Amino acid sequence: MVEWIQSDEREEYDKQVQWCDLPSPALEKIYYFASREDQLNMSVVCRKWSEGFRSPYVCKKFRFDMTESQLSIRTCPRMKFVQKYSSMFRHVEVFYKFSWEKHLMYTWCKHFQVFLQTLASKTQLISINFREFSHCMEHTDNSSHEKICRVIANFLESQHHLKRVEFHNCDFRSYEGAQLLKKLITNNRESLTHLVLRRFVRWNYTEEEEDSNAVIHLPTLLDLPRFTSLETEYLPTFVIMFDCQSDANETLKNRQTRVPQKIILNYHWDYEEIAEVGGLTSTDWKFLKKIYPDLEVEFDFTTDSHSLREVELLIMPNMPITRLDYRYEHKFRLHLIPYREVDVLFDHLLACKTNDHLVSLHFRWSRLIFNLASIFIPFLLACKKLKCLELFIPYSTGGIHLLLESWLENRPESLEKVHIVISGFKDDYDIMNLTTVYVNRLRLVGLNVDVDFKFHR
């Protein structure tokens, strides 16, 4: 009887409330998380849902990527959508999907040019992200290549409210990249806050690339009134495209407004010609720190080198590294051979006074470290600001229990969180039990510690 009443009430409720009566805020939320294809399907359900599809909340984010089937038809629905709703776009991502079919690549280039021209005439974006242009830039003819660069430059010149701009894997020529940055900085000086340059330019260190027109001075960028963060490779983009020794330095000394600045650097071992280029000098970093006292550097450093030559060229005194992600990743099965230069690495960091600034350290080492405790204990005690420590080390690394035990007696005062991953672990339950005991004791005294064992298969 009760079930019958409940069923009857439910039917009556369903008659009164329809999906088309869904409140606008809820409908916008659904649209926000749906894919573009699902959004198009939703828009034909009823008039209210169609109106919801046209709301600025739904249309403010747009991803320009086209499948081969979309590129193969004469009239592309996606381009119709752009023409109709682009005035509401605020955040755009442009993604080139790789294709060996040249006619599809050229068709994409034509659509892309129309797309940016439409944006330039109809909207003012807040952010834009260009991704995976390298294949397109390398394999198109010179005329198409120049057209792509020109349409991007014209688009950047048309925008005046961009806050975040990203280029990922685009591989422009250096002088092209410099011209694009000049357009961006000149026309978005008052709004730009974040700039990401990952494989922004090609790495060809030739006389052509040394042209002064292919240089953007780092202080010119950091001096933008609202600029807060730059993310780029240390090589090649950073060194070629930016130079601290500019004529603008004297004017910067009178700078009144100082916004907190962050530089996120990425270095990978497959960058070449490091000896010919190197990084910024200690004097450069000292100057930057003087002009921008709140400057912070985050450094993701990946190497397979047997020596510390790269470290010595790129990590310098006066470099305010607050986060260091250091990875030693060898391509061959040499991780079973003891590697004696790990202590030299930390000696170099101490010599550069990296420990004075370090807040987060992520350290991945693929070879055995027999003296782990004797290396890490003095370094960590010298780090007065370190809050987060992550270690990824192979099994057989000696001294892990000594390191944990030392923290019970003399824990680094600022350290809050520790995550240790031991790879290639075998069934050594004595080590596991001893480690668990120390972890539990450290947690009782307030240190958040986790140790994970990755078993050898």
mmCIF file of all heavy atoms in Angstrom, residues 41 47 57 86 134 138 144 160 163 176 195 253 256-257 264 266 278 303 305 314 330 361 389 427 438:
data_model
loop_
_atom_site.group_PDB
_atom_site.id
_atom_site.type_symbol
_atom_site.label_atom_id
_atom_site.label_comp_id
_atom_site.label_asym_id
_atom_site.label_seq_id
_atom_site.Cartn_x
_atom_site.Cartn_y
_atom_site.Cartn_z
ATOM 1 N N ASN A 41 24.591 18.086 -28.645
ATOM 2 C CA ASN A 41 23.421 17.214 -28.530
ATOM 3 C C ASN A 41 22.416 17.759 -27.524
ATOM 4 O O ASN A 41 21.200 17.709 -27.742
ATOM 5 C CB ASN A 41 23.858 15.807 -28.129
ATOM 6 C CG ASN A 41 24.623 15.097 -29.217
ATOM 7 O OD1 ASN A 41 24.424 15.386 -30.405
ATOM 8 N ND2 ASN A 41 25.498 14.183 -28.832
ATOM 9 N N ARG A 47 13.989 24.272 -26.228
ATOM 10 C CA ARG A 47 14.354 25.671 -26.428
ATOM 11 C C ARG A 47 15.197 26.199 -25.277
ATOM 12 O O ARG A 47 16.181 26.906 -25.491
ATOM 13 C CB ARG A 47 13.093 26.529 -26.585
ATOM 14 C CG ARG A 47 13.385 28.023 -26.727
ATOM 15 C CD ARG A 47 12.131 28.808 -27.021
ATOM 16 N NE ARG A 47 11.593 28.427 -28.343
ATOM 17 C CZ ARG A 47 10.491 28.972 -28.851
ATOM 18 N NH1 ARG A 47 9.817 29.882 -28.171
ATOM 19 N NH2 ARG A 47 10.063 28.598 -30.053
ATOM 20 N N TYR A 57 28.563 31.706 -20.004
ATOM 21 C CA TYR A 57 29.197 30.777 -19.068
ATOM 22 C C TYR A 57 29.630 29.503 -19.785
ATOM 23 O O TYR A 57 30.700 28.953 -19.522
ATOM 24 C CB TYR A 57 28.214 30.447 -17.940
ATOM 25 C CG TYR A 57 28.790 29.540 -16.871
ATOM 26 C CD1 TYR A 57 29.513 30.070 -15.806
ATOM 27 C CD2 TYR A 57 28.617 28.162 -16.934
ATOM 28 C CE1 TYR A 57 30.043 29.251 -14.833
ATOM 29 C CE2 TYR A 57 29.145 27.335 -15.967
ATOM 30 C CZ TYR A 57 29.855 27.886 -14.916
ATOM 31 O OH TYR A 57 30.388 27.060 -13.954
ATOM 32 N N SER A 86 32.019 33.016 -31.122
ATOM 33 C CA SER A 86 33.378 33.368 -30.689
ATOM 34 C C SER A 86 33.434 34.646 -29.863
ATOM 35 O O SER A 86 34.372 34.834 -29.079
ATOM 36 C CB SER A 86 34.300 33.502 -31.902
ATOM 37 O OG SER A 86 33.819 34.501 -32.784
ATOM 38 N N SER A 134 54.715 21.856 -33.680
ATOM 39 C CA SER A 134 56.058 21.622 -34.224
ATOM 40 C C SER A 134 56.022 20.878 -35.559
ATOM 41 O O SER A 134 56.725 21.252 -36.504
ATOM 42 C CB SER A 134 56.910 20.851 -33.215
ATOM 43 O OG SER A 134 56.307 19.611 -32.893
ATOM 44 N N GLU A 138 57.207 22.544 -39.133
ATOM 45 C CA GLU A 138 58.379 21.977 -39.801
ATOM 46 C C GLU A 138 58.073 21.491 -41.211
ATOM 47 O O GLU A 138 58.924 21.568 -42.107
ATOM 48 C CB GLU A 138 58.928 20.813 -38.968
ATOM 49 C CG GLU A 138 60.185 20.188 -39.540
ATOM 50 C CD GLU A 138 60.739 19.080 -38.672
ATOM 51 O OE1 GLU A 138 60.206 18.867 -37.556
ATOM 52 O OE2 GLU A 138 61.699 18.423 -39.107
ATOM 53 N N SER A 144 53.130 28.936 -46.194
ATOM 54 C CA SER A 144 52.171 28.586 -45.136
ATOM 55 C C SER A 144 52.761 28.849 -43.762
ATOM 56 O O SER A 144 52.068 29.314 -42.848
ATOM 57 C CB SER A 144 51.762 27.116 -45.261
ATOM 58 O OG SER A 144 51.099 26.875 -46.490
ATOM 59 N N HIS A 160 44.201 42.831 -25.875
ATOM 60 C CA HIS A 160 44.683 43.809 -24.904
ATOM 61 C C HIS A 160 44.355 43.429 -23.458
ATOM 62 O O HIS A 160 44.602 44.215 -22.547
ATOM 63 C CB HIS A 160 44.096 45.187 -25.211
ATOM 64 C CG HIS A 160 44.345 45.644 -26.608
ATOM 65 N ND1 HIS A 160 45.598 46.003 -27.074
ATOM 66 C CD2 HIS A 160 43.498 45.771 -27.673
ATOM 67 C CE1 HIS A 160 45.517 46.345 -28.345
ATOM 68 N NE2 HIS A 160 44.251 46.213 -28.734
ATOM 69 N N LYS A 163 45.792 37.529 -19.896
ATOM 70 C CA LYS A 163 46.480 37.345 -18.616
ATOM 71 C C LYS A 163 47.452 36.155 -18.654
ATOM 72 O O LYS A 163 48.535 36.229 -18.087
ATOM 73 C CB LYS A 163 45.455 37.118 -17.498
ATOM 74 C CG LYS A 163 44.601 38.325 -17.182
ATOM 75 C CD LYS A 163 43.673 38.035 -16.012
ATOM 76 C CE LYS A 163 42.838 39.264 -15.654
ATOM 77 N NZ LYS A 163 41.916 38.984 -14.508
ATOM 78 N N GLU A 176 61.279 34.596 -35.101
ATOM 79 C CA GLU A 176 59.813 34.567 -35.126
ATOM 80 C C GLU A 176 59.261 34.607 -33.708
ATOM 81 O O GLU A 176 58.320 35.357 -33.406
ATOM 82 C CB GLU A 176 59.323 33.300 -35.832
ATOM 83 C CG GLU A 176 59.670 33.235 -37.301
ATOM 84 C CD GLU A 176 59.422 31.866 -37.898
ATOM 85 O OE1 GLU A 176 59.288 30.894 -37.127
ATOM 86 O OE2 GLU A 176 59.361 31.764 -39.136
ATOM 87 N N LEU A 195 53.233 33.509 -18.324
ATOM 88 C CA LEU A 195 53.717 33.168 -19.654
ATOM 89 C C LEU A 195 54.427 31.818 -19.584
ATOM 90 O O LEU A 195 55.323 31.622 -18.763
ATOM 91 C CB LEU A 195 54.677 34.237 -20.173
ATOM 92 C CG LEU A 195 55.293 34.016 -21.561
ATOM 93 C CD1 LEU A 195 54.216 33.936 -22.633
ATOM 94 C CD2 LEU A 195 56.286 35.124 -21.890
ATOM 95 N N LYS A 253 66.145 50.206 -12.007
ATOM 96 C CA LYS A 253 66.593 50.498 -10.648
ATOM 97 C C LYS A 253 65.657 51.482 -9.950
ATOM 98 O O LYS A 253 65.605 51.552 -8.728
ATOM 99 C CB LYS A 253 68.020 51.055 -10.682
ATOM 100 C CG LYS A 253 69.059 50.009 -11.103
ATOM 101 C CD LYS A 253 70.451 50.613 -11.164
ATOM 102 C CE LYS A 253 71.474 49.560 -11.602
ATOM 103 N NZ LYS A 253 72.840 50.128 -11.703
ATOM 104 N N GLN A 256 59.178 51.291 -8.965
ATOM 105 C CA GLN A 256 58.440 51.547 -7.726
ATOM 106 C C GLN A 256 57.627 50.333 -7.286
ATOM 107 O O GLN A 256 57.633 49.955 -6.136
ATOM 108 C CB GLN A 256 57.507 52.764 -7.916
ATOM 109 C CG GLN A 256 58.248 54.043 -8.253
ATOM 110 C CD GLN A 256 59.189 54.466 -7.136
ATOM 111 O OE1 GLN A 256 58.856 54.381 -5.966
ATOM 112 N NE2 GLN A 256 60.380 54.922 -7.520
ATOM 113 N N THR A 257 56.887 49.731 -8.225
ATOM 114 C CA THR A 257 56.009 48.609 -7.875
ATOM 115 C C THR A 257 56.756 47.299 -8.070
ATOM 116 O O THR A 257 57.299 47.037 -9.133
ATOM 117 C CB THR A 257 54.755 48.613 -8.760
ATOM 118 O OG1 THR A 257 54.129 49.885 -8.625
ATOM 119 C CG2 THR A 257 53.789 47.529 -8.341
ATOM 120 N N ILE A 264 59.910 29.524 -13.572
ATOM 121 C CA ILE A 264 59.913 28.062 -13.539
ATOM 122 C C ILE A 264 60.768 27.582 -14.702
ATOM 123 O O ILE A 264 60.419 27.769 -15.877
ATOM 124 C CB ILE A 264 58.481 27.505 -13.651
ATOM 125 C CG1 ILE A 264 57.599 28.072 -12.539
ATOM 126 C CG2 ILE A 264 58.500 25.978 -13.588
ATOM 127 C CD1 ILE A 264 56.129 27.740 -12.693
ATOM 128 N N ASN A 266 62.950 24.572 -16.790
ATOM 129 C CA ASN A 266 62.988 23.144 -17.089
ATOM 130 C C ASN A 266 64.248 22.840 -17.889
ATOM 131 O O ASN A 266 64.527 23.508 -18.887
ATOM 132 C CB ASN A 266 61.758 22.722 -17.894
ATOM 133 C CG ASN A 266 60.465 22.939 -17.142
ATOM 134 O OD1 ASN A 266 60.012 22.098 -16.398
ATOM 135 N ND2 ASN A 266 59.862 24.111 -17.344
ATOM 136 N N GLY A 278 75.645 27.727 -21.819
ATOM 137 C CA GLY A 278 75.599 27.874 -20.367
ATOM 138 C C GLY A 278 74.326 28.548 -19.914
ATOM 139 O O GLY A 278 73.382 28.722 -20.678
ATOM 140 N N THR A 303 68.636 14.761 -15.908
ATOM 141 C CA THR A 303 69.921 14.520 -16.547
ATOM 142 C C THR A 303 70.230 13.029 -16.580
ATOM 143 O O THR A 303 69.728 12.253 -15.767
ATOM 144 C CB THR A 303 71.048 15.258 -15.807
ATOM 145 O OG1 THR A 303 72.296 15.027 -16.481
ATOM 146 C CG2 THR A 303 71.169 14.779 -14.370
ATOM 147 N N SER A 305 73.694 12.502 -17.212
ATOM 148 C CA SER A 305 75.134 12.732 -17.293
ATOM 149 C C SER A 305 75.872 12.028 -16.163
ATOM 150 O O SER A 305 75.396 11.970 -15.031
ATOM 151 C CB SER A 305 75.433 14.228 -17.236
ATOM 152 O OG SER A 305 76.820 14.464 -17.192
ATOM 153 N N LEU A 314 74.540 25.443 -14.711
ATOM 154 C CA LEU A 314 73.178 25.967 -14.660
ATOM 155 C C LEU A 314 72.717 26.369 -13.264
ATOM 156 O O LEU A 314 71.873 27.254 -13.128
ATOM 157 C CB LEU A 314 72.200 24.940 -15.239
ATOM 158 C CG LEU A 314 72.431 24.582 -16.715
ATOM 159 C CD1 LEU A 314 71.424 23.534 -17.169
ATOM 160 C CD2 LEU A 314 72.343 25.813 -17.592
ATOM 161 N N HIS A 330 69.212 7.296 -16.021
ATOM 162 C CA HIS A 330 70.121 6.738 -17.021
ATOM 163 C C HIS A 330 69.363 5.798 -17.939
ATOM 164 O O HIS A 330 68.479 5.069 -17.514
ATOM 165 C CB HIS A 330 71.287 6.009 -16.358
ATOM 166 C CG HIS A 330 72.515 5.996 -17.225
ATOM 167 N ND1 HIS A 330 72.644 5.141 -18.291
ATOM 168 C CD2 HIS A 330 73.635 6.753 -17.204
ATOM 169 C CE1 HIS A 330 73.818 5.358 -18.888
ATOM 170 N NE2 HIS A 330 74.432 6.329 -18.253
ATOM 171 N N LEU A 361 62.055 19.974 -2.070
ATOM 172 C CA LEU A 361 63.092 19.210 -2.756
ATOM 173 C C LEU A 361 62.518 17.859 -3.170
ATOM 174 O O LEU A 361 62.028 17.097 -2.343
ATOM 175 C CB LEU A 361 64.312 18.997 -1.865
ATOM 176 C CG LEU A 361 65.406 18.071 -2.421
ATOM 177 C CD1 LEU A 361 66.003 18.639 -3.708
ATOM 178 C CD2 LEU A 361 66.505 17.835 -1.380
ATOM 179 N N LEU A 389 59.888 17.215 1.324
ATOM 180 C CA LEU A 389 60.991 16.404 0.812
ATOM 181 C C LEU A 389 60.426 15.131 0.190
ATOM 182 O O LEU A 389 59.651 14.411 0.824
ATOM 183 C CB LEU A 389 61.966 16.036 1.934
ATOM 184 C CG LEU A 389 63.073 15.035 1.585
ATOM 185 C CD1 LEU A 389 64.042 15.624 0.563
ATOM 186 C CD2 LEU A 389 63.826 14.599 2.837
ATOM 187 N N ASP A 427 62.162 -8.965 -0.636
ATOM 188 C CA ASP A 427 61.467 -9.350 0.600
ATOM 189 C C ASP A 427 62.385 -9.260 1.814
ATOM 190 O O ASP A 427 62.705 -10.269 2.461
ATOM 191 C CB ASP A 427 60.907 -10.768 0.462
ATOM 192 C CG ASP A 427 59.862 -10.850 -0.628
ATOM 193 O OD1 ASP A 427 59.273 -9.798 -0.927
ATOM 194 O OD2 ASP A 427 59.655 -11.941 -1.171
ATOM 195 N N TYR A 438 60.076 3.505 12.724
ATOM 196 C CA TYR A 438 60.539 4.900 12.711
ATOM 197 C C TYR A 438 59.471 5.835 12.149
ATOM 198 O O TYR A 438 59.277 6.952 12.646
ATOM 199 C CB TYR A 438 61.820 5.020 11.890
ATOM 200 C CG TYR A 438 63.061 4.544 12.621
ATOM 201 C CD1 TYR A 438 63.886 3.567 12.069
ATOM 202 C CD2 TYR A 438 63.408 5.075 13.863
ATOM 203 C CE1 TYR A 438 65.028 3.125 12.722
ATOM 204 C CE2 TYR A 438 64.545 4.637 14.528
ATOM 205 C CZ TYR A 438 65.345 3.665 13.964
ATOM 206 O OH TYR A 438 66.459 3.237 14.634
#
